Amino acid sequence: MTSAFAAVPAPVKISYNVTFPEAQAHYADIEMTLTGLAQPSLEVKMPVWAPGSYLVREFAKNIESLSANTKGKALATTKINKNTWKINTAGISSVTVKYKVYAFELSVRTSFIDASHAFLSTTGIFLYPKGMVSSPSTVHIKPYKDWNKVSTSLEPVNGDIFTRTAPNYDILYDSPLEIGTQDVFDFDVDGTHYEVAMYGGGNYDKERLKVDMAKVIRAEVAVFGENPNKHYTFIVHNKQRNGGGLEHLSSTVLGASRDQYASPGGYRGFLSLVAHEHFHLWNVKRLRPIALGPFDYDNENYTTNLWIAEGFTAYYQNLILRHADISTPQDYLNDMTGDINTVENQPGTRVQPLAESSFDAWIKGYRPNENSYNTGISYYDKGAVVGMLLDLEIINDSNGKYSLDDVMKYMYDTYYKGKKRGYTDAEFKAGFEKFAGKKLDDFYAKYINGLDAIDYNKYLNYAGYKLVDNLADTQEPSLGVFTNSRKIITTVLRGGAGWVDGLNVNDEITAVDDTPVTDMGAILKGKKVGDKVNVTVTRDGQRIVIPVTLQRNNAYKYSITEIENASPKQLAVRKKWLKL
């Protein structure tokens, strides 16, 4: 007979020791110890992807020399698939798993170790026990040589900066660690403490950054009405040339060029990146598509809503700078013009719907090839453009009472805080409609799930602006290809002259009409649309002459300009949109 008050098994305790005996060779040594086991076998797994970066990266490829023991006695260990090891734990209560991780890819989503520092992107560092994703763990770090700092959102244990704790694996995998001698400064924004860890040097002004980063943060908090963090960490990797970012629940990793801070454009570009990744604190890390959490760390997690999660964040990254009065209204309009030009000049925008771009991120977005420009569109760029359209629609239809801010706050309050789950496609659409005051079936059919040309002027006119193509009247001839500095074709534009007549990517253009090519910008001088030219290329080591009939260069160069005699309503929409 079993007692109704039988003892509940104690939870398994999990801890990691991280050492760097061969940091100069880009290795971390990991010991994972589990105690309190009561099972015949244990499976330990490595995630195959990092949330926020939608590509299966197979982090287990960097693991070597994995073994397991209990009190020094070796245990039978078998690798049963690409990222899982099975350990015989019959009759034992504790096991230590030892392995090495090679880390030599410095990006915002992958780990890098050398003698100067260690950046640990935790999904590629720490194994987890199958079925125990909700379990807490502790990470003990033994620093290499003179390393004396750890920057992370993981909380220290008893004030020890080299011992950190995570309440579960979702938090551990959402908390990268920067370990070394990084330059750290901090500031507070209305009760939230911010730490900025700068690796790699740079010409940044810490006091100026404190002021302007705080402005960005306050403008974003104003959208959602609260800051859910008490502590937030920016990890910044400054290199000769760098960029990109990856969001986390209470931190972010940014890539920056170390000399960009001194120029107005470079500095504003960095603050735009700060605004983008910090906006993710709400959008996608908390307000998220229903498919993105709880995470499946073994497989792709498909969603059609990255145009909201990433595209709207790209929209807000520049709008926030305007609302924080860091950029001018013209700066902001130039930023939006850049997004429009990117979208409209890419042939793929007429091939791949926006929702599909999100769903196929796993196989296309992070794996571009020479034809991607012709077949796809970025949910960042087109998502930002769609964000602008919906913002203007809502402001106009509500007579300035609401904006996209109200939609974001409503969805955050309703789904993250209220229902405590992600949203569906239909639920976010209903959120837009609530504040626009009308159905958006036609908008979705055209611009989210369809391939209709965007009627930019319909929306820009709401704010008294119009879109002008500065190349509309030109008759410049074109081969319809992009080349690199070595005159090698990198892209053949769908429907262009080179596409029709057979120029190929990787062809080296050596002559046009027997005239050697020295300057790609001058090879068609004196030619007209409709002329036939003989293009000599080197292809696979062979000389080939290809007749090409020149077409009009159909590139767009848009600008946003004010319309004459804007109405009081248009000016009111503009004022609400740009916070004039």
Side-chain angles (χ1 to χ4, degrees), residues 49-104:
W49 69 289
S53 181
Y54 305 101
L55 176 68
V56 171
R57 296 183 184 276
E58 310 293 19
F59 294 120
K61 67 187 177 183
N62 294 319
I63 289 181
E64 61 184 75
S65 304
L66 186 141
S67 64
N69 70 82
T70 180
K71 300 177 182 178
K73 180 182 177 182
L75 297 172
T77 303
T78 305
K79 190 171 186 179
I80 59 174
N81 62 33
K82 64 180 182 179
N83 67 318
T84 309
W85 291 259
K86 188 173 184 179
I87 303 166
N88 182 2
T89 56
I92 64 172
S93 61
S94 67
V95 62
T96 296
V97 182
K98 296 183 178 181
Y99 57 99
K100 301 170 75 70
V101 178
Y102 180 72
F104 194 57

Side-chain angles (χ1 to χ4, degrees), residues 339-563:
D339 288 334
I340 292 170
N341 281 324
T342 297
V343 170
E344 294 305 318
N345 280 302
Q346 188 161 343
T349 195
R350 289 167 281 280
V351 175
Q352 184 184 51
L354 185 55
E356 182 184 296
S357 172
S358 168
F359 194 85
D360 282 350
W362 297 92
I363 59 172
K364 293 184 178 181
Y366 285 86
R367 286 195 176 105
N369 63 25
E370 68 284 347
N371 200 39
S372 295
Y373 198 72
N374 292 314
T375 62
I377 193 67
S378 165
Y379 48 79
Y380 286 87
D381 300 325
K382 192 169 183 180
V385 168
V386 166
M388 178 191 73
L389 304 183
L390 285 167
D391 202 2
L392 289 168
E393 183 75 63
I394 292 166
I395 295 171
N396 180 74
D397 291 354
S398 69
N399 292 311
K401 184 177 180 181
Y402 302 121
S403 71
L404 188 58
D405 290 8
D406 296 283
V407 179
M408 302 304 289
K409 185 178 189 306
Y410 168 77
M411 295 298 292
Y412 176 80
D413 289 344
T414 302
Y415 291 95
Y416 171 67
K417 295 177 68 177
K419 298 180 185 294
K420 301 186 186 306
R421 65 166 174 82
Y423 56 81
T424 66
D425 296 53
E427 287 166 343
F428 218 113
K429 178 173 176 286
F432 294 134
E433 293 170 342
K434 175 181 175 67
F435 291 93
K438 65 182 182 183
K439 290 290 186 181
L440 293 171
D441 294 356
D442 186 57
F443 185 95
Y444 264 68
K446 288 180 176 179
Y447 304 144
I448 309 303
N449 301 311
L451 296 170
D452 287 38
I454 295 175
D455 185 357
Y456 290 101
N457 281 327
K458 171 186 174 181
Y459 299 91
L460 288 170
N461 283 350
Y462 291 151
Y465 290 111
K466 63 181 178 180
L467 193 67
V468 176
D469 179 11
N470 298 293
L471 299 179
D473 297 326
T474 63
Q475 287 294 316
E476 178 187 3
S478 172
L479 289 174
V481 299
F482 295 153
T483 61
N484 63 19
S485 60
R486 294 179 294 148
K487 300 168 289 186
I488 295 173
I489 296 174
T490 56
T491 301
V492 179
L493 296 172
R494 180 184 292 271
W499 177 283
V500 171
D501 290 325
L503 294 177
N504 286 185
V505 166
N506 296 328
D507 286 351
E508 180 188 359
I509 299 177
T510 58
V512 173
D513 287 343
D514 296 324
T515 300
V517 173
T518 57
D519 178 3
M520 286 299 301
I523 62 172
L524 301 182
K525 187 175 181 180
K527 306 295 183 182
K528 301 187 300 295
V529 173
D531 287 351
K532 181 172 285 188
V533 296
N534 289 317
V535 181
T536 304
V537 303
T538 300
R539 180 183 296 173
D540 190 31
Q542 295 181 320
R543 179 181 177 275
I544 303 174
V545 178
I546 301 173
V548 177
T549 301
L550 299 178
Q551 296 185 19
R552 177 184 177 274
N553 186 345
N554 61 359
Y556 302 100
K557 187 178 181 181
Y558 288 114
S559 59
I560 297 174
T561 63
E562 294 184 11
I563 64 173

Side-chain angles (χ1 to χ4, degrees), residues 109-342:
R109 64 193 70 86
T110 52
S111 298
F112 182 92
I113 301 167
D114 67 8
S116 68
H117 78 133
F119 171 65
L120 305 185
S121 183
T122 45
T123 45
I125 296 293
F126 297 114
L127 295 168
Y128 70 95
K130 182 180 179 180
M132 301 185 197
V133 170
S134 298
S135 299
S137 61
T138 303
V139 177
H140 306 275
I141 301 164
K142 183 179 179 181
Y144 179 76
K145 291 188 177 179
D146 61 344
W147 296 355
N148 56 14
K149 296 174 184 174
V150 177
S151 297
T152 180
S153 58
L154 293 175
E155 293 298 323
V157 176
N158 297 324
D160 180 2
I161 66 168
F162 293 108
T163 302
R164 303 285 175 152
T165 184
N168 55 58
Y169 278 91
D170 286 330
I171 298 296
L172 180 63
Y173 289 150
D174 214 12
S175 306
L177 299 104
E178 176 69 28
I179 309 162
T181 59
Q182 59 269 23
D183 183 19
V184 176
F185 62 91
D186 54 9
F187 56 94
D188 293 309
V189 180
D190 302 327
T192 301
H193 186 68
Y194 283 85
E195 174 188 346
V196 183
M198 292 283 199
Y199 168 78
N203 58 2
Y204 51 88
D205 179 333
K206 286 186 270 191
E207 296 307 314
R208 185 185 182 195
L209 282 174
K210 289 178 186 180
V211 171
D212 288 337
M213 291 173 75
K215 289 180 181 178
V216 167
I217 291 162
R218 287 193 178 96
E220 293 185 341
V221 172
V223 175
F224 294 94
E226 68 173 19
N227 191 329
N229 283 312
K230 291 300 178 185
H231 172 244
Y232 188 94
T233 302
F234 290 96
I235 297 172
V236 185
H237 292 147
N238 293 298
K239 298 173 64 179
Q240 184 176 9
R241 292 183 180 178
N242 203 12
L246 187 64
E247 69 275 6
H248 298 282
L249 195 69
S250 302
S251 64
T252 186
V253 186
L254 310 179
S257 299
R258 64 173 59 95
D259 295 328
Q260 76 178 85
Y261 302 94
S263 71
Y267 183 69
R268 195 163 62 86
F270 177 74
L271 291 177
S272 178
L273 179 60
V274 167
H276 182 106
E277 300 305 335
H278 189 265
F279 195 83
H280 274 312
L281 180 162
W282 298 273
N283 191 28
V284 90
K285 295 314 302 182
R286 291 171 174 84
L287 172 61
R288 59 174 176 79
I290 199 163
L292 296 184
F295 292 120
D296 178 353
Y297 293 107
D298 278 344
N299 300 288
E300 295 88 345
N301 292 223
Y302 294 102
T303 174
T304 56
N305 289 131
L306 292 179
W307 61 274
I308 297 172
E310 287 291 356
F312 279 22
T313 304
Y315 170 62
Y316 270 100
Q317 72 184 51
N318 294 315
L319 189 65
I320 287 295
L321 297 193
R322 166 78 288 270
H323 289 181
D325 207 27
I326 290 172
S327 63
T328 67
Q330 190 58 52
D331 287 334
Y332 173 70
L333 294 176
N334 291 343
D335 291 332
M336 282 313 308
T337 300
D339 288 334
I340 292 170
N341 281 324
T342 297

